[in-house]
Amino acid sequence: MTQDVTATFSANQLKLDDVHPLEMFCLNASNSGFDPLYYVNSNQSVVGYSLNATGDLTDVETTYIGLPIKSGAIQSDIQGQIPSFSITIPNTDRVIESVIQSSNYLRGNTVYVINMFADNLPSGVTGNHVGTSPDKNSHIKEKLYIDSCSSNEEAVTFNLKNKFNIQNIVLPRRTYSRECHWALSNKYLGTECDPASAINSGTFPTCDGTLEQCKKRNNTARFGGFPSVPRNSIVVL
Amino acid sequence: MTDVFSIGTLVAGADHGLIDGIPYHMLEPNGGCDSYPVFQNIHTSHDTQILMSRQKALPSLTITYKYTGIWASEYRQIEHFIDNKKDNLNSFYVIDFSSGDVPTSITSIGGGTAFRISTPDTSLFSEIPNFKSNKVFFSNGYYWKVGIIESGDMTANVSIDARVTTDYGTLTSAQVEASGVQIYPMYECYTSGKNLDSFQTIEYVSNGDNKGFTYDGQVVFTTKYKV
């Protein structure tokens, strides 16, 4: 998936030296509202930008707690595979354990993964200010949802997925198949299948999606499948 | 003010510190002191040439205290301090004896409660509590004093204003202002862990107040904050 980035970010990512990329995380700990927890994978806490409830970076500064957070790689491919991702946050003093126990394991909650260069973080007078030329728009942000989590005495691991995965939605919605898409997606007798209500629903209450069934109903003109899609089989002539 | 290696919690108006109520005096590393900044960068190189470099983490400082032939009682002091801190569980302050500097001048600016240290190199110090060295250790070789660099009290490469909020150490104001006083940076550090393993017994001293083995060894510290 392509990301639009600012000219500053683009210039920084092309630099061959003197850059300090930081991976930052914002985890919503509330099941109903927005209660963000901020973490950064670094050896020290840094001051960064806070997110608002809609997930946009704002000018308000906040401290991202420095922890050795392990994360996977966000991947996308041309097969349309939906990226999945996991982050591991240390369970020191059971702080994260407490959050997940009191908030239904945070299932379905949002996690923002923000990649920024240290230079673009807020500049200031504390030791946690690492920025030199602040620019909150120079970032790459991914919005993911917590699908499941596991915890032990050392760490809590969140498995993050795209929202489509959590709701069992496969993209694209309509695919080429030999059977009728309308029948298989519970749209038999619907507007795509039978807009004129010509099929006698009493005689034909259900449909298994085959072309034969459609012929019986005299509705082949609106058949939603592709019968000529080849099968994996050997044809002996 | 918290604990300073290897004397423990500082006591106002005294030259000693306390560990579990036991007074200890300053024990300098007689075998030497080293310090060097640790930069964590990722390099992609082609043969010997670096093609790309990325900063992975913020730089920290590693300080090493080396001891040679110290008395058993002195070793016990180090051991007591490390035990008290539960090895590398708790942080404390460490004086970087390898970065001593004789300033151009030190003048009192607050009736003995603050001093202006004029020095051409202030790069090791900062008025920010969690950045570089926020505390300065004055020593004339016999007596010492600790000052806190408070906010807004520093002009880069010109002067540092150190405020002595509580009079730790017995170096007097007149002695601080006298020539020959050295300043050392103090950093909040952790030990690198299991340092007492490096101490080896050398000779056994069978008489006198320091009866027992003499020890050689070193303690390694890493700063808590970036430098």
Side-chain angles (χ1 to χ4, degrees):
Chain A
M1 189 167 59
T2 55
Q3 295 264 6
D4 288 332
V5 294
T6 63
T8 309
F9 191 95
S10 189
N12 265 333
Q13 70 177 355
L14 290 173
K15 274 187 185 174
L16 294 178
D17 53 23
D18 194 27
V19 288
H20 183 190
L22 283 171
E23 197 168 25
M24 306 159 91
F25 303 89
C26 174
L27 192 153
N28 182 11
S30 168
N31 286 334
S32 51
F34 187 63
D35 178 19
L37 302 173
Y38 296 98
Y39 299 105
V40 59
N41 182 22
S42 181
N43 60 339
Q44 197 179 319
S45 300
V46 300
V47 173
Y49 300 102
S50 61
L51 273 73
N52 60 18
T54 52
D56 295 323
L57 268 69
T58 66
D59 285 319
V60 181
E61 293 180 7
T62 190
T63 300
Y64 285 66
I65 298 166
L67 287 173
I69 298 172
K70 290 179 186 163
S71 63
I74 295 178
Q75 294 175 328
S76 59
D77 57 25
I78 56 170
Q79 272 86 41
Q81 194 172 338
I82 295 170
S84 66
F85 187 74
S86 71
I87 58 170
T88 302
I89 298 174
N91 204 359
T92 311
D93 292 343
R94 304 292 187 274
V95 172
I96 289 291
E97 184 77 38
S98 154
V99 171
I100 62 171
Q101 295 291 345
S102 58
S103 302
N104 198 20
Y105 293 91
L106 298 181
R107 186 171 157 79
N109 282 24
T110 47
V111 173
Y112 294 93
V113 181
I114 306 153
N115 284 281
M116 281 192 89
F117 290 99
D119 285 357
N120 300 134
L121 290 171
S123 59
V125 293
T126 76
N128 294 333
H129 280 89
V130 295
T132 51
S133 51
D135 181 4
K136 72 175 192 300
N137 297 318
S138 293
H139 65 267
I140 289 181
K141 188 180 65 191
E142 296 275 352
K143 185 180 185 181
L144 295 158
Y145 294 82
I146 295 171
D147 184 42
S148 61
C149 73
S150 58
S151 71
N152 59 28
E153 71 276 18
E154 288 185 356
V156 173
T157 300
F158 294 104
N159 293 309
L160 312 177
K161 286 188 173 160
N162 196 294
K163 191 143 201 169
F164 294 128
N165 251 16
I166 290 181
Q167 296 184 342
N168 276 332
I169 295 171
V170 178
L171 285 179
R173 297 296 293 271
R174 194 169 176 202
T175 54
Y176 285 103
S177 66
R178 293 172 67 87
E179 288 75 32
C180 175
H181 179 75
W182 317 130
L184 298 183
S185 58
N186 294 323
K187 288 178 180 170
Y188 173 58
L189 300 179
T191 51
E192 292 92 351
C193 169
D194 185 23
S197 299
I199 299 171
N200 186 337
S201 60
T203 315
F204 304 106
T206 60
C207 175
D208 67 1
T210 58
L211 185 59
E212 287 73 23
Q213 295 256 321
C214 213
K215 280 177 182 167
K216 283 182 186 172
R217 289 158 180 75
N218 200 22
N219 194 37
T220 51
R222 303 198 67 82
F223 183 61
F226 300 87
S228 56
V229 171
R231 288 182 176 172
N232 289 332
S233 60
I234 297 169
V235 179
V236 180
L237 298 173
Chain B
M1 177 59 82
T2 180
D3 295 7
V4 176
F5 187 83
S6 57
I7 61 172
T9 310
L10 295 181
V11 180
D15 249 346
H16 64 264
L18 292 175
I19 308 174
D20 297 332
I22 300 170
Y24 288 106
H25 287 270
M26 191 61 75
L27 171 62
E28 292 180 19
N30 62 344
C33 175
D34 292 333
S35 71
Y36 57 91
V38 179
F39 295 94
Q40 297 185 46
N41 299 331
I42 303 171
H43 297 296
T44 307
S45 57
H46 183 261
D47 290 342
T48 57
Q49 187 189 7
I50 290 170
L51 298 180
M52 288 198 299
S53 67
R54 294 274 185 279
Q55 190 177 327
K56 189 180 169 192
L58 298 164
S60 60
L61 192 79
T62 296
I63 303 169
T64 308
Y65 275 18
K66 296 172 186 166
Y67 297 95
T68 309
I70 55 170
W71 303 114
S73 60
E74 293 170 327
Y75 172 71
R76 297 279 167 253
Q77 176 178 345
I78 294 167
E79 189 181 49
H80 194 174
F81 189 92
I82 302 265
D83 281 355
N84 184 261
K85 291 294 161 202
K86 298 182 173 61
D87 203 4
N88 53 358
L89 189 65
N90 299 294
S91 64
F92 48 87
Y93 281 86
V94 174
I95 303 150
D96 185 1
F97 284 109
S98 71
S99 301
D101 179 27
V102 180
T104 317
S105 68
I106 303 177
T107 49
S108 173
I109 54 169
T113 60
F115 298 95
R116 177 158 298 158
I117 305 157
S118 300
T119 172
D121 182 8
T122 60
S123 61
L124 299 175
F125 298 92
S126 170
E127 69 271 32
I128 299 165
N130 54 353
F131 179 44
K132 294 188 178 178
S133 172
N134 181 239
K135 297 189 171 43
V136 58
F137 183 82
F138 302 94
S139 173
N140 66 356
Y142 298 100
Y143 303 107
W144 53 269
K145 188 184 274 295
V146 172
I148 300 159
I149 302 160
E150 292 193 338
S151 92
D153 285 353
M154 193 171 145
T155 310
N157 294 333
V158 177
S159 68
I160 309 160
D161 287 359
R163 207 162 292 278
V164 185
T165 47
T166 308
D167 234 347
Y168 298 120
T170 55
L171 192 70
T172 63
S173 295
Q175 285 170 327
V176 170
E177 292 181 74
S179 63
V181 168
Q182 279 200 291
I183 58 164
Y184 299 92
M186 288 174 75
Y187 298 94
E188 193 166 352
C189 292
Y190 292 97
T191 72
S192 63
K194 296 187 172 56
N195 278 286
L196 294 178
D197 294 358
S198 77
F199 281 85
Q200 304 284 326
T201 50
I202 308 298
E203 278 184 54
Y204 188 79
V205 179
S206 58
N207 53 13
D209 291 340
N210 291 301
K211 191 174 178 181
F213 285 104
T214 57
Y215 289 82
D216 279 3
Q218 65 178 30
V219 187
V220 181
F221 310 98
T222 305
T223 55
K224 184 175 180 180
Y225 301 113
K226 64 172 175 165
V227 293

